Amino acid sequence: MERRESESIEFKKSTLELHQALISLVSMLNKNGHGTVYFGVLNNGDIVGQQIGKDTTHDISVEIKNHIRPFIVPSIEILTEGSREVIKVCVSGDDKPYSAYSRFYIRSDDEDLVMTNEELQGVFESKSFDYSKWENALSGHKIDDVDENRLVSYFTDALECGRLQYVYRDPEDALSRLSLVVGDELNNSGYYLFSKSKPVKLKLAVFNSDDRISFSDIRMYEGNIFDCIETGIRYISDNIRWSGTISGYRRVEEPEIPIEAIREIVVNSFAHMKASASILNEIYVTPSFVRIINSGSIAGGLDPKDFASGKEGPILRNPLIAMALYRNGMIDSFATGFERVFRLCDEKGIGYEYADNGFSFSFTFIRKLRRQDHSVYDLSVSESSSSYGVSGEKTTAGRRQALLELIRKNSSLTTEDLSKQLGVSVPTVARDLKCLQTLGVLKRVGANKNGYWKVIKAF
């Protein structure tokens, strides 16, 4: 251990100085991209030791997680010198500027100084708008970590939508086509897109009130980017209301929020996220809103309306990931997603809000209040006790899984056939079929009268 404080080393007598220690870590990050704090050491380098309880290192980690932005993962060690123990905390990162307790600092010799407006502006102006450096860095995971079924399905979709003229042969060749592998090692973008090691975290919750104090469902989902996109869209679809209206002589089922708009925001939340093992994307459903949150801010502090109006061209935060999502049809084109979402919401009278705090971006769909007239058919209530006719949980997701099981056994079943075997209404089956097609799980081949269903991938 070095015995002198410097532009990358700070000593603290104990964790009672944790607040000031975080300021030192941030000031060193902003100066050098790395920094180390020792607890249990006096300013002159004398070791006095630090009392360490069962929660001491955990409390340090939580304080760093809660008060340093952008998020950073510390390395925490306990060192022993004779009978005395010292805690060593190391951080490193290249996502300057970092803040502690909402203020920015810079290191000068062994001092922590508040950054001037000119210094802060200079850092922001030199900051790259994209995460391509992270995308291209090697992940430490080999090609055999890839979910090959997911990879085959991806290239099938890309070929069908005409954006990649390539017939799948093997993982190495396929991944090289997308610039996602170097030798036999995945870069970060390849790892996050196709790994079966579940690198991406997605927090999902349905709250009983808008203040999010109590919840009816909360879970943490882990998977690759494609897994999380499908899970996120399905989760929102399963937890919003669907209404039935009469159009001519037919009953038409519609979600309260257009699924296409939900899909656009969820896909983009992963396309533009700032990926890290320590952070996650989030989806909340409350009585009044649906909120999708992703780590990472809008490039350059621009307003989404700048992209929707065509005032600004596309800025790809994760170029390799965004291009991969474009080639299989998940992204229709660049810089037009917000325009489609705004238009769909305006057409259906759906309110929306968005916010960018510099570290994360959130998009909120405002839910319509439940209408009291009989034209609204709330499937989440009226069908909740139905018998599905085959094995499956008595939930929307369980019903759709049961529907797919029936189609796998007999792909020519009609909507009426499925309705009878599942024990639910024809409009409910029609709604489920439409949703599964939107999710890319199911495809209709041929005409409605003489065609058949094809299951594309697992639900």
Side-chain angles (χ1 to χ4, degrees), residues 29 36 52 88 93 117 193 230 334 359 368 380 413 434:
L29 279 168
T36 302
I52 301 175
K88 178 183 179 182
N117 290 338
L193 281 165
E230 292 178 1
F334 300 118
F359 306 108
K368 291 182 178 180
S380 64
L413 286 173
K434 181 180 179 181

Side-chain angles (χ1 to χ4, degrees), residues 154-155 157-164 177-179 320-331 334:
Y154 170 87
F155 277 95
D157 292 342
L159 185 62
E160 286 187 357
C161 70
R163 294 180 181 174
L164 196 59
R177 300 271 175 167
L178 301 173
S179 301
L320 291 177
I321 290 174
M323 185 58 69
L325 295 174
Y326 168 76
R327 284 174 166 165
N328 81 327
M330 280 196 163
I331 294 177
F334 300 118

Side-chain angles (χ1 to χ4, degrees), residues 364-379:
T364 303
F365 294 100
I366 309 300
R367 303 180 70 182
K368 291 182 178 180
L369 295 176
R370 186 189 301 274
R371 289 165 56 186
Q372 299 299 316
D373 59 70
H374 296 294
S375 66
V376 174
Y377 179 55
D378 190 348
L379 293 165

Side-chain angles (χ1 to χ4, degrees), residues 68-324:
I68 290 183
R69 297 291 183 273
F71 294 101
I72 199 150
V73 180
S75 169
I76 303 177
E77 299 178 71
I78 298 176
L79 309 178
T80 302
E81 177 117 351
S83 61
R84 299 183 179 93
E85 290 184 313
V86 172
I87 300 175
K88 178 183 179 182
V89 180
C90 298
V91 295
S92 63
D94 56 8
D95 195 17
K96 303 176 186 179
Y98 290 91
S99 68
Y101 308 101
S102 302
R103 299 193 72 180
F104 297 89
Y105 300 86
I106 189 75
R107 193 78 166 178
S108 176
D109 192 18
D110 60 353
E111 289 188 272
D112 304 319
L113 307 176
V114 177
M115 293 181 74
T116 65
N117 290 338
E118 290 76 15
E119 288 173 323
L120 192 57
Q121 182 178 350
V123 174
F124 275 114
E125 288 177 350
S126 65
K127 186 179 176 71
S128 173
F129 280 158
D130 66 52
Y131 307 135
S132 55
K133 182 178 179 180
W134 168 84
E135 276 196 307
N136 285 283
L138 296 180
S139 68
H141 295 264
K142 304 296 185 182
I143 289 177
D144 58 10
D145 188 60
V146 165
D147 181 344
E148 191 167 6
N149 289 332
R150 171 66 72 184
L151 193 60
V152 171
S153 175
Y154 170 87
F155 277 95
T156 300
D157 292 342
L159 185 62
E160 286 187 357
C161 70
R163 294 180 181 174
L164 196 59
Q165 299 302 315
Y166 170 74
V167 178
Y168 182 86
R169 291 191 297 182
D170 60 70
E172 183 176 359
D173 183 59
L175 291 165
S176 67
R177 300 271 175 167
L178 301 173
S179 301
L180 302 180
V181 65
V182 178
D184 65 344
E185 188 173 348
L186 298 170
N187 58 24
N188 280 329
S189 49
Y191 173 60
Y192 274 72
L193 281 165
F194 291 108
S195 173
K196 57 188 176 187
S197 296
K198 303 179 179 180
V200 186
K201 297 180 179 67
L202 175 61
K203 184 178 180 180
L204 303 160
V206 176
F207 290 96
N208 298 322
S209 59
D210 293 337
D211 55 18
R212 296 186 289 170
I213 294 175
S214 64
F215 56 85
S216 58
D217 181 62
I218 192 165
R219 65 187 75 175
M220 184 71 73
Y221 180 81
E222 296 180 344
N224 56 45
I225 285 177
F226 290 106
D227 297 333
C228 289
I229 287 174
E230 292 178 1
T231 298
I233 297 170
R234 184 166 64 242
Y235 191 82
I236 297 173
S237 174
D238 288 347
N239 287 288
I240 59 175
R241 293 184 293 273
W242 290 70
S243 63
T245 57
I246 304 300
S247 177
Y249 59 88
R250 299 180 62 187
R251 186 181 186 89
V252 179
E253 302 293 342
E254 286 190 6
E256 58 176 304
I257 303 168
I259 295 297
E260 292 81 0
I262 291 170
R263 179 180 178 278
E264 192 74 46
I265 294 298
V266 171
V267 170
N268 277 279
S269 74
F270 288 97
H272 301 294
M273 70 182 291
K274 178 174 174 54
S276 165
S278 64
I279 55 181
L280 47 81
N281 284 12
E282 302 171 82
I283 292 176
Y284 298 142
V285 181
T286 79
S288 297
F289 62 81
V290 174
R291 181 166 294 154
I292 297 108
I293 306 170
N294 65 276
S295 57
S297 61
I298 292 288
L302 296 170
D303 191 302
K305 289 184 178 178
D306 293 334
F307 297 104
S309 66
K311 179 180 177 181
E312 293 290 340
I315 299 176
L316 306 182
R317 302 306 295 267
N318 297 297
L320 291 177
I321 290 174
M323 185 58 69

